[in-house]
Amino acid sequence: MGAAMLVGREREVAALAQLLERTPPRGAVLLMLGDPGIGKSSLLDEAESRGRARGFRILRLAGVECEATFPFAGLHQMVGPVLDHVSLLPRHEREALLAAFGLVESPPPDPFLISLAVVDLLAAVAADRPVLVVADDVQWLDPQSHEVLTFVARRVAGPVVIIATMRRGHTGSFLQPGFPELTVGGVDDDAAAQILSAHAPGLCPAERRRIQREALGNPLALRELPIAMAAGPSGGLRPLTLSDRLEHAFAGRGAELPSATRDALLVAAVDPAGDLAEIIAGTSALRGEPVAPAMFDPARAAGLVSVEEGRVAFLHPLMRSGILQAESLARHQAAHGALADALDDVYRRTWHLAQSIVGPDDRIADALEANAAQALSRGAVFSAINDLERSAQLTSWSALRGHRLLMAAGHAFGMGREDIVHELLQSAARTDLTDLDRARMEWLGEMFDHTPGGAARVNELCDLAVRSAPADPDLALDILLAAALRCWWADTGPAARARVVACVDRLPETVGDPRHLTALAGVEPVLRARQVIEALTRTPPGDDGDALLVMGLAAHAVGHMALAAELLARSEVILRRQGRLGLLSQVLTTQSVTYVLLGELVRAADVAEEGKRLAAETGQPAWGAGQLVCDVLLKAFVGDAQEALRRAIEAELREARGRNVMLSMLQLARGLVSLAAGRNRDAYRTLRAIFDPAEPSFHQRHGFASLMFLADAAVRAGHREDARELVAELEMIARETPSPLLHIHLSYARGVLATDEDAEDFYLAALRQDLSDWPYARAKLELAYGSWLRRQKRVRQAQSLLTSAQSTFDRIGALPCGDEARLELRATGAPIDWPESSAERLRQITELSAQRLPDDEIAERLSLPRAVVAMYRDRTRPGTRR
């Protein structure tokens, strides 16, 4: 069938040949999309042939519609031939991959660690010779294999080429990354005529025209519809979709076969394994008498299947679906039941038994729940979800049915699949849940509820936790942590916060749990900061990546950024080694915000990019939103004003509405842009709103990070007295919390806002702090103190501090502050150094200057002070180092 399907496919064949000839050193991916029968599989065969001729190692996998519930069935096809290379993988990855195939006993592997193992395995195999992965009918792969293939394709590296096919109209993760696509459409009239001449030479002109009109250029239809038409009116040429007509054609062909052959075809159609001996045993059980392999001879003669090396394969997926379409539900169930009788494998036997019945069967439902546990032990979470959902359907007791649906939803939550969680929770809500399960359902729904919530929702969650605590303190703590997060993200008011704290305090058995600390830190980051910091600093970090992440979140919430960075870095190492990418994305997102606030901007940018990608890949939109807001802040710190403002608008419209934390960060970014541009009144008004409880951007703890910039704006805009009053209020708060974030910002504000008589004492006191983990704050203090010294005519001391500040700002990528230090240095007559990051700004100013624009207009366009523009234009003058 292959050669005929390639007639008229010169364009597609050329594209495949070009892809294989290039063999990019970093790999390549191509997705072929088209209708059933259009020739995708034949093109894949052609790619395989050409790849083999060019020395590629070929790895194949193909989705089968009825195989989608068997864990890692597709993945086993792909990597089974190269499992001898598994010894080259790191131990964690090797054990995860072997556990996925049930070859070793180990703790349940993280699905993403399995994916990482496959990436590294392909890279190891490709070290000897290039690898070509050909994946047919990706839409029918089991969910685990589908996700792994998508993950691998995103990270394809080395001489590895992946060519995959999918039917148009199907969905799946392989469509989401935007891989290069090759659309396979119908062949033109000349090619259609050539195919018909080769396979149906006896057609009269009218029949030929009718077939071509019906086939729509589909090569399989051009081959098969003439046969169907010769069979008479029942042959399948009805006013149906083309795929339906072809299925009818194959069904009609099967209807003419002997009874034993039809039974064998039905068993083969519901059995994804394709094992000849297994299908013979199932057919014998279905018929109640022994049958022999020769029963397939009529089906082979009719061109429906091939039987080679002990395996039965349908020559096209539409042939399988045509056979299934022709049979009744009762016959389907009987075939599944017969296969179950013939199988020794407990997992597969249970699955087929579950498909063989309608209505409740608690014995099979229990066995399916055991199947789910087995799937989880292999890291096959999606198979476990499917098993539990089907188990629930077969469960007679409503409360247990709901419990199993919630178990499935819990696993879907762990995979970040909001869509599946929502669907399962809807089904569970229609059952008679126990009180504890109803609380569990509320918690699962809460974790994907992205709508801003107020005090009423927080109180509902507290009520739920109180009712759950006697039976399940662990669940109660989860619910209270969710309530605390609502208090963190939005201003829920003091009464709601107090209620959460009271409920957490009533769970003494959870005091040692990191979630206990994080709940307190999130809901009362000032009043409970001392307790949280003391507990975190006396608790050994350990090697639990989950616990380290939660502890890092607590440290971040109370403003101990250096401790947060340390804990999160430990968690990152562990989670990365374990391949737990879902949690890793949360670590990276929190790290990026932490690094921005510490002033490690280069590190922040590095982790932000990976965090954003992983949040998308692991289906965690809330963390992706947090990363978007962090990106806005990062752009403001590094001086990309236009991009910061553009993304701020995007983030506010998409994600931040009603979330005070995000609005506070966006407000800070806008304030920084205005400050860097010299729009000091705008900057002060913008930053002052962060500290006003009446404003939507108010967030007490996040406001700490804006204080030093508010002090700068206050001095430049003439609002020194108002800022001093705010600082006095924050001094009182500082007595309650040892938060380094607040104390460091306060020490800066004291110096900037002080009179000349007092300023130096404040600056010296501030610089005596341990600022080794706070490069941005130290450089800001050096800049402010150096500027004060210059104004006091103490030039030599000023130059030393200003040079140090400029060097730090340039190292960490804070271009606006670096330029401010350069302006101050220039005023002392000292030479100026320029970082590589200033090259783009110089180019922009040079281009606008070439248009004879005045400095004022250039400054306005680029959101820069006029003095900075003038400095860049004077970069080549004597005495300036370039």
Side-chain angles (χ1 to χ4, degrees), residues 557-841:
V558 296
H560 199 322
M561 297 303 159
L563 180 58
E566 177 189 346
L567 293 167
L568 293 169
R570 288 174 177 267
S571 178
E572 179 194 353
V573 170
I574 294 167
L575 295 176
R576 198 179 289 281
R577 184 176 69 238
Q578 295 173 346
R580 302 178 63 194
L581 302 188
L583 284 179
L584 181 60
S585 71
Q586 299 178 21
V587 169
L588 295 174
T589 299
T590 311
Q591 274 182 319
S592 63
V593 180
T594 302
Y595 286 144
V596 168
L597 297 182
L598 285 170
E600 294 285 4
L601 305 182
V602 176
R603 295 175 72 183
D606 289 342
V607 300
E609 186 58 35
E610 185 182 7
K612 182 164 49 181
R613 186 181 74 247
L614 288 180
E617 290 178 3
T618 56
Q620 300 183 87
W623 289 97
Q627 191 61 70
L628 173 61
V629 174
C630 178
D631 284 349
V632 174
L633 195 57
L634 183 59
K635 293 293 182 186
F637 268 88
V638 301
D640 192 347
Q642 282 82 5
E643 187 66 8
L645 293 175
R646 185 188 68 79
R647 293 193 182 186
I649 294 171
E650 177 189 356
E652 194 159 23
L653 290 175
R654 279 178 44 193
E655 311 292 351
R657 191 167 299 171
R659 293 177 172 87
N660 299 61
V661 167
M662 291 186 175
L663 291 172
S664 177
M665 293 172 67
L666 295 176
Q667 194 81 344
L668 172 56
R670 291 190 178 96
L672 287 172
V673 170
S674 295
L675 200 58
R679 298 192 297 270
N680 299 317
R681 291 183 180 178
D682 288 345
Y684 188 77
R685 184 170 56 251
T686 299
L687 294 168
R688 190 64 176 84
I690 297 174
F691 297 89
D692 184 350
E695 293 288 338
S697 59
F698 171 76
H699 189 281
Q700 186 185 50
R701 210 296 275 135
H702 252 282
F704 299 167
S706 304
L707 183 56
M708 68 167 60
F709 309 107
L710 178 85
D712 287 337
V715 172
R716 298 172 192 179
H719 293 295
R720 193 186 298 259
E721 287 306 317
D722 181 65
R724 284 174 176 165
E725 291 177 9
L726 175 62
V727 166
E729 295 174 10
L730 292 172
E731 296 276 13
M732 296 179 65
I733 293 173
R735 297 172 191 165
E736 298 289 340
T737 171
S739 166
L741 181 66
L742 175 58
H743 285 272
I744 288 170
H745 274 252
L746 270 174
S747 71
Y748 178 90
R750 290 187 198 108
V752 170
L753 296 172
T755 63
D756 282 344
E757 290 76 15
D758 299 327
E760 187 163 25
D761 289 340
F762 284 126
Y763 283 131
L764 291 173
L767 286 169
R768 282 195 294 269
Q769 299 174 103
D770 180 7
L771 297 173
S772 55
D773 294 312
W774 297 80
Y776 187 89
R778 169 172 281 280
K780 281 282 287 178
L781 279 164
E782 290 174 337
L783 172 57
Y785 185 25
S787 300
W788 182 86
L789 288 169
R790 181 189 64 77
R791 293 193 299 272
Q792 304 305 311
K793 311 300 183 185
R794 295 158 64 179
V795 175
R796 183 169 298 178
Q797 289 176 278
Q799 286 179 343
S800 175
L801 286 165
L802 293 170
T803 300
S804 175
Q806 176 202 281
S807 175
T808 299
F809 288 135
D810 289 348
R811 176 181 63 80
I812 65 177
L815 187 58
C817 289
D819 284 342
E820 189 178 341
R822 271 180 279 278
L823 283 173
E824 289 288 338
L825 275 172
R826 187 170 74 159
T828 70
I832 296 172
D833 284 327
W834 296 92
E836 291 183 10
S837 59
S838 68
E840 174 62 18
R841 178 163 291 175

Side-chain angles (χ1 to χ4, degrees), residues 456-479:
R457 180 55 180 163
V458 170
N459 282 312
E460 288 175 1
L461 292 170
C462 288
D463 291 341
L464 200 61
V466 168
R467 293 196 299 270
S468 306
D472 194 338
D474 190 68
L475 174 60
L477 185 58
D478 276 334
I479 295 169

